[in-house]
Amino acid sequence: MPLYEYTCRKCSSDFELLIRNDETPFCPECGSRQLEKQLSVAAAHTGAGSLPVCGMPSMAACGRPECGMGRCALE
């Protein structure tokens, strides 16, 4: 059961959904099925001294909500 990231074309809401079998996803904010699947960055453990995916020394230092969704706001 994969977890996918979407942006709603109707209300511009960004969200993640766990999709099971043949389920058709819908926006939890407005109920629209007009969604755009986003490319996500896979989570992986990095070695000491490596920068996190968003390129900041600390994920908390970034502060951008987009980085919390698995996508980097700085790319």
Side-chain angles (χ1 to χ4, degrees):
M1 292 178 281
L3 185 65
Y4 292 107
E5 295 178 30
Y6 293 94
T7 298
C8 178
R9 291 182 183 149
K10 185 175 180 182
C11 72
S12 300
S13 176
D14 291 320
F15 53 93
E16 296 177 340
L17 288 176
L18 182 65
I19 304 298
R20 297 180 176 102
N21 303 323
D22 294 329
E23 287 181 337
T24 302
F26 62 91
C27 176
E29 292 291 322
C30 70
S32 174
R33 294 192 184 273
Q34 298 176 11
L35 308 177
E36 183 176 327
K37 192 183 288 189
Q38 302 297 314
L39 294 176
S40 339
V41 176
H45 176 64
T46 59
S50 298
L51 292 176
V53 173
C54 78
M56 301 299 291
S58 163
M59 289 301 279
C62 177
R64 295 176 185 253
E66 296 90 350
C67 286
M69 297 276 302
R71 296 185 308 258
C72 181
L74 303 175
E75 291 180 346

